[in-house]
Amino acid sequence: MKSLRARLFISFTALLLAALLMFGVIVWLVAREAMTNDVDDFLRSKAMLLGRVVTPMRNRIEPWIEQELQVQERHFMLQVFAADGSMAGKSSNLAHAIPLSDEARRSEHPAGNAVIETLHADGRAYRVATHPRRDLWGDPVVLYAQALMPLDAVQARERRLLAWLVSGGVAMLAAGAVAAWSLSRQWLRSVSHLEEAARGLSTSELGKRRLFVPSDDAELSALANSFNHLLDRLEAAHTTQQRFTADASHELRTPLTVLRGEIEVALRKPRAAEEYREVLVSNKEEIERLSRLTENMLALAHVDVGDAITQRELVNVSELCSGVAARLQNLATERQITLHHEDTTTEPLSVNGDRIALERVMTNLVENAVRYSPGGENVTVRVSKSPPWIEIQVIDTGGGIAPEHLPHLFERFYRVDKARSRSHGGSGLGLSIVKALVEAHDGSVGVTSQIGHGSTFTVRLPAA
Ligand code: ADP
C-alpha cells in the first residue's frame, strides 16, 4: 500500500517529466530547424559572394578570397566549377574535390540564388550551396560557385543543444522532485498530526480530549470535526455501556444479597419444617426476580445486536391487544383495577412485525399501568388508526408521573420510585425494552402524564 505522500510525489514528478519531455521535444525540433536554416542561409550567402568575386577567366580560389570570405575562421570550404561542370578550383582546407551534382547543374535557378543539398564524399556528409552564375538574366551559366560545410560540424552543434536540453531537463526534474517531496510533506503535516493525535487517544481519554481543528485547511478541519463528532458519540456510547454494566451488577447483587442473608439466617440453628418453607418461598421470589432481570437483559442484548425481530408477519393489533388485556385481567382484578380494551374502528388494524415482540411491548405497558395505579382506577387499551400509523394507547387514571422523570422514563434501569418499584418486582428495564422493540419496528413511543390524573403511553407503528 502506497502512502498518500508517495502517491502525490509520484504523480507530480510524472506530470513534470511529461511536461518537460513535451517542452524539450518541441524546443529540439524548432531549434534544429532554425539551426539547419541558419547553416543553409550562411552557405547560400557565401556561395553567392564567391560567385561575384570569381570570373570564368580567374576561377581559382586565391588566398585573398579565402581570407575575404573568412573560410578558416568560419569552418567552411569553397569550390568553383566551370560552365561544363569541370573542377576549376577549391579552397585549401578541402582535401579532395567533391564533384558537382547533376541536381545543381540541371537547376534552373535564376541568378541571385543557390541550390542547397546534402552530398556524400569520402565517407563524409556535406551541406552544399551551389550558386550558378550568369552574367545577365536569362544568359547561360558561366560558372558554379559552391560553399560547403561538413555535416558533422552541424551535427556537433545539434548534439551540444541536445546535451543542454537533456541536462537542463534532468536538473529541472530533480529540482521539481525535491520540491514535490518537501511540499507534500508540508501539505500532509496536518494529516500526520491528526493521525498521531488520533493514535494517541486512549479509551479513558475519550471524554476529555478532542483533536485540534486546523483553521487554515477546509478539508482537514472537516475531517477533524467529523472525527470529534465520532468521539462524542463514542463517548456517549461508552458512558451508557459503563452505566449499564454498573446498574446491571447492582441489580443482580441485591437479590443475591437477600438470598444469601435469608439462607444464612435459616441455617444458623435447626428449624421447624414450616420455617424452612417460608424461607424457600421467599427465596423463590428473589430467584424469580433474578430470572426476570436476566431475561430482560437478554432481550435488550438481542435488540442491541439487531435481532429484535426474528420473523415478520401480518399482526392484527386489535386482536393482539385484546389478548394481552384478557391475560392480564386476573392481575387487574387482584389489584382492583378495571381493565378494558377499546377499538375505535371495526376495520382490522394490522402491522407487519414480530408477534412475540409486539406482545411483549403491550404486556409491559399494560402491566405497568396496572401495577403503578392504586386500586379503584381504570386502565384502557385503545387502538385507533392515524394514517400512516396505527396508534395504541395505554391510558390509566393512576397517580401519574412527575414531569422531571418523563424525559428519563425510557432509559435503562430508570425507576421513578426505587423502593416502590422493587417491591413490584421491576428493575427499570421494561420501558427501555418497549422503546427498543417499537423502534425496531420503525415506530415510536411517547408518554404524557399528569400527577394525580394518570398517564398515557402512546405507541405508533406503521400500518401494514
Ligand atoms: P420497571 O421494571 O421498574 O417497571 P419500567 O421501565 O417499566 O421499569 O418503568 C420505569 C418506571 O416508570 C417505573 O419504575 C415506574 O416508576 C414508572 N412507570 C411506568 N409506567 C407507569 C405508569 N403507568 N404509571 C406510573 N408510573 C409508571
Side-chain angles (χ1 to χ4, degrees), residues 364-426:
N364 278 4
L365 290 178
V366 178
E367 222 174 58
N368 274 355
V370 172
R371 284 185 197 281
Y372 293 111
S373 298
E377 300 294 347
N378 293 309
V379 173
T380 310
V381 182
R382 183 181 294 156
V383 183
S384 57
K385 198 170 178 187
S386 159
W389 306 104
I390 287 179
E391 209 169 75
I392 311 159
Q393 288 182 305
V394 180
I395 307 158
D396 68 63
T397 54
I401 306 161
E404 67 268 25
H405 296 297
L406 293 180
H408 306 288
L409 225 50
F410 294 96
E411 286 172 13
R412 295 177 181 191
F413 293 112
Y414 191 84
R415 287 178 304 205
V416 173
D417 179 347
K418 314 269 180 243
R420 186 159 160 264
S421 62
R422 189 177 141 73
S423 69
H424 283 92

Side-chain angles (χ1 to χ4, degrees), residues 261-299:
E262 285 176 351
I263 294 172
E264 272 173 6
V265 171
L267 287 179
R268 231 170 255 163
K269 56 175 185 176
R271 291 173 193 279
E274 188 51 31
E275 276 180 282
Y276 283 126
R277 210 185 111 76
E278 268 172 34
V279 173
L280 285 178
V281 168
S282 167
N283 284 355
K284 185 168 166 269
E285 262 173 37
E286 292 301 328
I287 287 170
E288 276 166 0
R289 196 194 302 280
L290 272 173
S291 318
R292 263 198 309 277
L293 180 64
T294 38
E295 203 183 296
N296 282 342
M297 283 167 61
L298 199 64

Side-chain angles (χ1 to χ4, degrees), residues 299 301-311 354 356-357 436-438 440-441:
H302 274 303
V303 179
D304 285 346
V305 296
D307 51 49
I309 300 177
T310 46
Q311 141 184 48
D354 185 319
I356 311 239
L437 290 178
V438 168
H441 281 83

Side-chain angles (χ1 to χ4, degrees), residues 110-398:
N113 214 328
V115 184
I116 304 284
E117 58 198 329
T118 300
L119 296 179
H120 296 268
D122 309 329
R124 269 180 112 181
Y126 292 88
R127 196 73 178 154
V128 184
T130 310
H131 171 58
R133 177 173 158 188
R134 295 172 169 88
D135 282 336
L136 281 173
W137 179 257
D139 280 359
V141 173
V142 292
L143 58 83
Y144 295 94
Q146 240 181 19
L148 49 153
M149 190 182 263
L151 264 187
D152 20 356
V154 181
Q155 281 160 352
R157 282 170 69 184
E158 285 178 1
R159 273 199 299 276
R160 268 203 304 283
L161 172 70
L162 191 65
W164 271 111
L165 277 176
V166 169
S167 52
V170 167
M172 264 152 80
L173 186 68
V178 170
W181 187 245
S182 62
L183 272 179
S184 59
R185 192 183 50 196
Q186 210 171 319
W187 291 334
L188 294 176
R189 190 171 295 149
S190 316
V191 176
S192 33
H193 282 336
L194 213 63
E195 189 265 336
E196 266 168 38
R199 193 150 30 97
L201 278 180
S202 67
T203 329
S204 56
E205 284 177 324
L206 269 183
K208 294 175 230 145
R209 275 178 52 185
R210 287 294 176 265
L211 297 184
F212 170 69
V213 179
S215 57
D216 54 346
D217 193 318
E219 285 87 0
L220 284 180
S221 69
L223 182 64
N225 270 326
S226 49
F227 199 88
N228 283 342
H229 287 147
L230 177 69
L231 284 180
D232 290 342
R233 290 199 296 277
L234 269 179
E235 186 203 345
H238 188 62
T239 315
T240 312
Q241 182 68 40
Q242 276 179 332
R243 209 175 47 213
F244 183 78
T245 315
D247 288 345
S249 10
H250 177 78
E251 290 298 327
L252 287 168
R253 200 178 52 186
T254 315
L256 285 174
T257 314
V258 173
L259 267 176
R260 197 176 61 194
E262 285 176 351
I263 294 172
E264 272 173 6
V265 171
L267 287 179
R268 231 170 255 163
K269 56 175 185 176
R271 291 173 193 279
E274 188 51 31
E275 276 180 282
Y276 283 126
R277 210 185 111 76
E278 268 172 34
V279 173
L280 285 178
V281 168
S282 167
N283 284 355
K284 185 168 166 269
E285 262 173 37
E286 292 301 328
I287 287 170
E288 276 166 0
R289 196 194 302 280
L290 272 173
S291 318
R292 263 198 309 277
L293 180 64
T294 38
E295 203 183 296
N296 282 342
M297 283 167 61
L298 199 64
L300 275 177
H302 274 303
V303 179
D304 285 346
V305 296
D307 51 49
I309 300 177
T310 46
Q311 141 184 48
R312 272 188 190 269
E313 57 184 311
L314 210 58
V315 180
N316 184 322
V317 179
S318 320
E319 269 176 29
L320 183 126
C321 288
S322 70
V324 169
R327 231 174 315 111
L328 291 176
Q329 200 63 55
N330 280 348
L331 179 72
T333 318
E334 204 179 282
R335 298 188 49 80
Q336 293 159 341
I337 303 277
T338 319
L339 171 62
H340 10 235
H341 164 241
E342 229 178 75
D343 268 330
T344 56
T345 157
T346 47
E347 70 176 293
L349 303 177
S350 301
V351 298
N352 202 353
D354 185 319
R355 182 182 297 278
I356 311 239
L358 293 175
E359 250 169 24
R360 184 172 205 138
V361 167
M362 289 322 299
T363 309
N364 278 4
L365 290 178
V366 178
E367 222 174 58
N368 274 355
V370 172
R371 284 185 197 281
Y372 293 111
S373 298
E377 300 294 347
N378 293 309
V379 173
T380 310
V381 182
R382 183 181 294 156
V383 183
S384 57
K385 198 170 178 187
S386 159
W389 306 104
I390 287 179
E391 209 169 75
I392 311 159
Q393 288 182 305
V394 180
I395 307 158
D396 68 63
T397 54

